[in-house]
Amino acid sequence: MDYRTEAPDILREFLTYHETIQGHSRKTVDEYFLDLRNFFRYIKLEKGRVPRAMEFEQISIDDVDLDLARSVGLSDVYAYMSYLSRDRAKHANSPDTAYGLEPAARARKIAAIRSFYKYLTNKAKLITENPMQDLDSPRLKKTLPRYLSLDESIQLLESVDEPNGARDYCILVLFLNCGLRISELVGLNLSDVRGEQLRVLGKGNKERIIYLNDACQQAIETWLAERSHQAAADRNALFLTRRHTRMTTDAVHYMVKQRLKKAGLDASLYSSHKLRHTAATLMLQNGVDVRTLQEVLGHEHLNTTQIYTHVDNENLRSAARATPLSRVKTKKREKKQTPD
């Protein structure tokens, strides 16, 4: 799939803007394309541009232009959201799929539509008023992040053995100490290790520097000593597979699950991303302020980081103990006898 050849002009220009000017990753731009392709297939169907009996996935968007984009209003988008929540297959290619996308998936599609119309209005100046100005996103259920305790983290690290012990231990140490995203970890190159500093390329190709503690430096040093004896197909990659190619996200996901099982932890509850949550939670519990944590994790917005402040907050416990009623004991009540 390549939007540069498959997208109509009006979408291609928007996607190119995001990739070249906004600096969004290829993966993000590809997801925008898929979301907008799906949306305009629905719009064409609802506006009678294609036969009702036509297979949804077969609807072409080659003819999507400014006139069609202008014809879309808020009511069309909300009707599309209703379709997604009730009738859209969760897994389009599976015969046994369930129907109805979760709020988070619908919110991502709303974000793509909102961004597209904002571009048409503010950047391309192709429309004068943004019809999606007041577009609301689905209400998302807020859930607290799951994380390992300190003892469980130590248990995980102490259980690492051969094969690939030095590599896997180093990856787990970086996850648990630095809170890296899995995409950031697999993208690390040898040149990104600079003594006590680690250069990380985060979302939107934004660079940040993470300082490595003694445990991280020692784990990297041990792995690099072993890596130096391996023939690398990718000479730049920090972490290599057994085939000497760069570690992929799937390979890291699998490794983490296997190491969790080996440590006697429930691999169905935890993942590489949960190790990032663990790092964030442990930092906050041990005195790191939320602004600093925002920099470490590479969050663009502070409210993304603030979810961790609700995980295990001693100040909240202190507040609960501070009320004078906290010391009032419940009196035992005698049951009154009632006649039979």
Side-chain angles (χ1 to χ4, degrees):
M1 180 192 68
D2 190 338
Y3 75 84
R4 293 173 299 179
T5 56
E6 296 184 30
D9 290 347
I10 194 169
L11 293 187
R12 185 172 61 251
E13 291 162 4
F14 161 73
L15 296 167
T16 301
Y17 166 77
H18 271 275
E19 186 169 8
T20 58
I21 305 301
Q22 294 291 83
H24 290 166
S25 69
R26 182 183 300 177
K27 180 181 179 182
T28 297
V29 174
D30 286 345
E31 287 175 349
Y32 268 25
F33 172 51
L34 293 177
D35 288 341
L36 290 170
R37 183 178 68 179
N38 198 69
F39 173 63
F40 279 109
R41 280 173 172 169
Y42 174 85
I43 293 298
K44 287 184 66 176
L45 194 64
E46 289 301 302
K47 291 185 178 293
R49 298 285 189 97
V50 293
R52 273 283 173 186
M54 190 171 186
E55 286 287 336
F56 190 85
E57 303 298 332
Q58 299 303 315
I59 297 174
S60 170
I61 63 164
D62 289 346
D63 58 345
V64 169
D65 56 14
L66 185 58
D67 287 339
L68 182 61
R70 276 201 189 109
S71 74
V72 177
L74 280 177
S75 60
D76 296 311
V77 180
Y78 290 138
Y80 176 60
M81 287 296 107
S82 177
Y83 157 76
L84 292 177
S85 65
R86 291 173 176 265
D87 305 318
R88 180 65 176 169
K90 290 185 177 181
H91 306 287
N93 298 321
S94 172
D96 301 321
T97 186
Y99 289 84
L101 300 186
E102 300 298 329
R106 301 200 306 272
R108 191 193 75 183
K109 296 180 187 303
I110 284 284
I113 295 168
R114 185 188 287 119
S115 181
F116 174 62
Y117 278 92
K118 183 178 179 181
Y119 165 81
L120 292 181
T121 309
N122 298 339
K123 299 299 178 183
K125 309 290 186 184
L126 295 175
I127 55 180
T128 54
E129 292 188 13
N130 185 352
M132 304 304 155
Q133 183 73 37
D134 299 320
L135 179 59
D136 296 322
S137 291
R139 188 180 297 275
L140 300 180
K141 181 181 178 182
K142 292 185 178 180
T143 57
L144 295 178
R146 191 183 299 274
Y147 63 96
L148 297 175
S149 67
L150 176 59
D151 288 342
E152 287 171 331
S153 301
I154 295 172
Q155 181 180 335
L156 174 60
L157 291 174
E158 289 182 344
S159 70
V160 176
D161 55 10
E162 298 300 334
N164 304 310
R167 183 200 67 188
D168 293 357
Y169 183 83
C170 185
I171 289 174
L172 294 173
V173 164
L174 289 178
F175 275 141
L176 290 168
N177 283 272
C178 304
L180 297 180
R181 300 180 178 95
I182 190 168
S183 58
E184 295 170 347
L185 182 126
V186 299
L188 289 174
N189 292 318
L190 291 171
S191 58
D192 293 326
V193 180
R194 306 169 180 179
E196 66 171 3
Q197 294 182 346
L198 184 68
R199 173 187 170 274
V200 177
L201 192 61
K203 283 188 174 181
N205 292 324
K206 293 180 180 177
E207 288 186 17
R208 70 182 188 278
I209 296 296
I210 291 177
Y211 285 86
L212 301 170
N213 58 29
D214 291 343
C216 291
Q217 292 183 58
Q218 184 177 351
I220 290 175
E221 183 179 338
T222 302
W223 161 240
L224 288 179
E226 183 172 312
R227 187 195 178 287
S228 65
H229 300 297
Q230 297 183 10
D234 186 335
R235 295 183 180 181
N236 296 319
L238 178 57
F239 293 111
L240 302 173
T241 66
R242 283 180 293 179
R243 294 188 177 90
H244 310 300
T245 57
R246 181 183 291 271
M247 287 283 282
T248 63
T249 55
D250 286 343
V252 175
H253 275 307
Y254 178 78
M255 180 277 288
V256 170
K257 292 290 187 182
Q258 294 305 111
R259 292 302 183 182
L260 286 164
K261 291 177 185 176
K262 180 77 174 178
L265 300 169
D266 191 340
S268 67
L269 297 178
Y270 303 105
S271 63
S272 57
H273 199 66
K274 298 300 186 290
L275 301 187
R276 174 172 161 86
H277 293 333
T278 299
T281 303
L282 292 177
M283 287 182 207
L284 276 176
Q285 288 175 347
N286 288 273
V288 175
D289 66 87
V290 71
R291 288 281 184 186
T292 302
L293 183 60
Q294 178 188 7
E295 293 292 326
V296 173
L297 297 179
H299 285 158
E300 184 174 358
H301 302 292
L302 185 62
N303 60 0
T304 309
T305 316
Q306 286 175 328
I307 187 173
Y308 297 107
T309 64
H310 303 294
V311 174
D312 190 1
N313 194 325
E314 185 59 34
N315 290 335
L316 296 181
R317 290 195 184 92
S318 299
R321 292 192 293 262
T323 171
L325 293 176
S326 69
R327 294 182 290 277
V328 175
K329 304 295 183 182
T330 303
K331 292 182 178 180
K332 291 184 179 179
R333 297 179 179 273
E334 295 182 1
K335 289 184 178 180
K336 291 184 179 180
Q337 296 296 325
T338 57
D340 294 335

